[in-house]
């Protein structure tokens, strides 16, 4: 059976190594797999759940697209578009928000984390975010959604919404209930300054992350300054207990070199941290610098980038608008 994949990335700032290793690298592998149709969406409607500067948002949309293409996504093989260009996403979100229950949304931990202490001041959009995500997925009859552990709960909610819609209107399997696609060897990449926090676009410190647009000097500098500890490099997994920053650097090294963490531990066991950091910086330069150069090249041709989005949104719209029409018919509109 062929798979239909949907996934999205928010254009909410600089894409970083976490986005690359946790999502985009996998998108490329899925795109190049057999019997798989992939839809990759720049989820700009999700980005506005927190305040965005309009000029910056426009720039981020193009940068996200450029990062996709520079990393190996191909608009001839995958549908690549931005969410706001296909109005069915907003329409679907409203319809599904009348299906989803407050009790379901109240359980979402990401809202609690993102809204922080001041929930009253969070936008309604931030609260309803998982419903928009459900619309994104369900509009395309998606069969599989690549998810990290942070999105598992939202995908469960999407499945509940699909089942409830089908039950309420007595049409089994109209909204396809998607399955999670758990990435092999998935690891959350953590901040370079604090191994307990994930690497994130919204971290105020640029030294907490490697951006896909960082040049060689920046990468070297950031790895030099990355937090470690006074103990020697580990000899075995056991030695990594309570050493989240060291573990994170080893995870990055292992993911980039497609090798197990055990192999990386063996490679550097008993060596000086400076030797490991130098190797890590070189590996990052080898993998990230070509992407960074390609992003910059692509950004010089905005017309080309806008053309890709336009073409992608037309293809997405063809599918999504048909689904929304059927949905409305079922509901009596
Ligand atoms: N640190 C990470 N490690 C592994 N995967 C990560 N992803 C994000 N950070 C890491 C994965 O990247 C995809 C796109 O994420 P997103 O941009 O839609 O939103 P996010 O997860 O909220 O990413 P950020 O960088 O943390 O953004 P802000 O700071 O704006 O909230 C997802 O598949 C995500 O799992």
């Amino acid at each position: 059976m062929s798979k239909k994949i949907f996934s999205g990335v928010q254009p909410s700032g600089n894409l970083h190594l976490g986005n690359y290793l946790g999502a985009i690298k996998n998108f490329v592998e899925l795109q190049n797999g057999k019997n798989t149709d992939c839809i990759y969406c720049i989820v700009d409607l999700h980005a506005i759940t927190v305040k965005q500067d309009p000029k910056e948002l426009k720039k981020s949309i193009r940068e996200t697209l450029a990062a996709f293409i520079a990393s190996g996504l191909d608009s001839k093989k995958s549908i690549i578009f931005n969410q706001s260009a296909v109005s069915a996403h907003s329409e679907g979100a409203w319809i599904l928000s009348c299906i989803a229950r407050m009790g379901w949304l109240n359980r979402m931990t990401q809202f609690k984390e993102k809204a922080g202490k001041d929930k009253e001041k969070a936008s309604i959009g931030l609260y309803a975010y998982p419903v928009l995500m459900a619309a994104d997925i369900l509009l395309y009859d998606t069969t599989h959604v690549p998810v990290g552990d942070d999105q598992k709960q939202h995908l469960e909610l999407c499945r509940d919404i699909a089942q409830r819609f089908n039950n309420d209107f007595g049409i089994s399997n109209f909204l396809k209930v998607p399955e999670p696609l758990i990435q092999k060897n998935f690891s959350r990449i953590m901040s370079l300054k604090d191994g307990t926090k994930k690497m994130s676009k919204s971290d105020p410190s640029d030294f907490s992350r490697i951006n896909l647009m960082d040049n060689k000097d920046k990468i070297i500098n950031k790895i030099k300054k990355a937090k470690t500890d006074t103990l020697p490099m580990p000899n075995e997994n056991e030695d990594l207990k309570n050493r989240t920053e060291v573990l994170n650097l080893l995870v990055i090294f292992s993911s980039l070199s497609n090798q197990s963490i055990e192999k990386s531990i063996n490679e550097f066991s008993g060596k000086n941290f400076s030797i490991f950091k130098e190797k890590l910086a070189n590996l990052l330069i080898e993998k990230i610098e070509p992407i960074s150069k390609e992003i910059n090249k692509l950004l010089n041709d905005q017309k080309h980038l806008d053309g890709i989005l336009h073409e992608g949104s037309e293809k997405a719209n063809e599918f999504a608008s048909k689904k929304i029409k059927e949905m409305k018919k079922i509901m009596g509109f």
Side-chain angles (χ1 to χ4, degrees):
M1 194 192 88
S2 68
K3 285 193 185 115
K4 192 158 198 190
I5 311 277
F6 183 99
S7 196
V9 174
Q10 291 190 59
S12 49
N14 275 333
L15 289 191
H16 50 75
L17 186 69
N19 297 128
Y20 178 70
L21 292 176
I24 304 173
K25 188 169 170 256
N26 186 37
F27 291 177
V28 178
E29 280 163 22
L30 288 168
Q31 165 194 268
N32 297 333
K34 269 192 191 145
N35 295 330
T36 320
D37 293 327
C38 299
I39 305 174
Y40 295 124
C41 185
I42 299 169
V43 287
D44 48 9
L45 294 173
H46 283 283
I48 61 162
T49 53
V50 294
K51 197 162 186 264
Q52 300 290 337
D53 174 79
K55 273 198 194 124
E56 282 300 312
L57 181 62
K58 200 176 198 106
K59 194 166 146 245
S60 288
I61 292 170
R62 289 190 181 122
E63 281 175 3
T64 306
L65 173 65
F68 277 6
I69 307 286
S71 306
L73 287 185
D74 178 351
S75 61
K76 298 277 173 271
K77 293 185 185 165
S78 301
I79 297 181
I80 304 172
F81 74 108
N82 60 316
Q83 195 183 23
S84 63
V86 177
S87 59
H89 288 256
S90 311
E91 211 175 339
W94 175 255
I95 292 174
L96 297 180
S97 71
C98 299
I99 302 292
R101 305 288 100 185
M102 294 277 288
W104 301 354
L105 281 170
N106 286 341
R107 288 199 287 273
M108 297 297 114
T109 53
Q110 195 182 74
F111 174 73
K112 290 177 196 154
E113 278 159 24
K114 291 212 168 176
K117 286 193 188 105
D118 214 352
K119 271 208 223 73
E120 298 288 314
K121 288 208 175 126
S123 71
I124 293 170
L126 190 66
Y127 179 72
Y129 177 114
V131 181
L132 175 59
M133 179 173 150
D136 300 338
I137 295 166
L138 299 174
L139 282 171
Y140 297 94
D141 291 344
T142 303
T143 61
H144 293 83
V145 182
V147 279
D149 34 325
D150 57 338
Q151 291 296 333
K152 265 190 209 151
Q153 203 187 21
H154 289 168
L155 187 65
E156 267 308 313
L157 182 95
C158 169
R159 290 165 56 87
D160 290 344
I161 293 176
Q163 274 156 349
R164 171 98 188 215
F165 185 96
N166 292 341
N167 281 343
D168 281 1
F169 296 99
I171 299 202
S172 67
N173 216 24
F174 168 70
L175 292 180
K176 306 274 175 297
V177 181
E179 298 292 332
L181 202 65
I182 310 290
Q183 199 180 322
K184 274 183 266 147
N185 307 323
F186 176 83
S187 296
R188 187 145 300 282
I189 306 300
M190 310 309 275
S191 157
L192 298 179
K193 293 184 76 180
D194 176 352
T196 62
K197 273 173 44 188
K198 77 164 188 158
M199 188 177 280
S200 165
K201 300 181 206 108
S202 50
D203 192 313
S205 168
D206 198 49
F207 276 89
S208 68
R209 63 184 162 258
I210 303 285
N211 300 307
L212 291 187
M213 287 173 77
D214 281 348
N215 61 25
K216 193 173 166 179
D217 293 341
K218 274 203 174 160
I219 293 174
I220 293 174
N221 208 5
K222 285 180 178 179
I223 293 300
K224 256 192 200 149
K225 296 215 164 104
K227 190 175 167 194
T228 48
D229 53 35
T230 50
L231 298 171
M233 285 296 288
N235 294 319
E236 53 185 349
N237 258 321
E238 273 292 294
D239 298 341
L240 282 166
K241 261 192 194 150
N242 303 323
R243 299 177 74 189
T244 47
E245 286 83 13
V246 179
L247 172 65
N248 186 43
L249 294 181
L250 279 162
V251 165
I252 295 175
F253 186 88
S254 310
S255 305
L256 287 172
S257 47
N258 286 322
Q259 70 181 28
S260 68
I261 188 110
E262 287 76 17
K263 192 152 185 240
S264 303
I265 292 175
N266 279 340
E267 196 174 329
F268 295 102
S269 150
K271 295 215 167 80
N272 207 310
F273 258 112
S274 59
I275 295 176
F276 169 60
K277 280 193 166 184
E278 195 186 322
K279 283 251 172 152
L280 176 59
N282 286 341
L283 183 60
L284 277 161
I285 291 164
E286 185 193 318
K287 302 283 179 183
I288 300 299
E289 211 186 30
I291 297 178
S292 155
K293 281 190 178 152
E294 188 59 23
I295 294 176
N296 282 310
K297 205 169 107 195
L298 285 161
L299 287 173
N300 282 330
D301 192 350
Q302 292 188 354
K303 248 192 167 166
H304 172 62
L305 291 176
D306 293 348
I308 293 176
L309 286 181
H310 182 71
E311 208 178 289
S313 61
E314 285 202 327
K315 287 186 204 158
N317 191 45
E318 216 172 285
F319 205 95
S321 63
K322 207 166 133 224
K323 192 78 183 173
I324 236 14
K325 248 191 209 154
E326 289 170 22
M327 218 163 151
K328 285 167 77 174
K329 200 168 160 211
I330 289 169
M331 298 177 79
F333 286 129

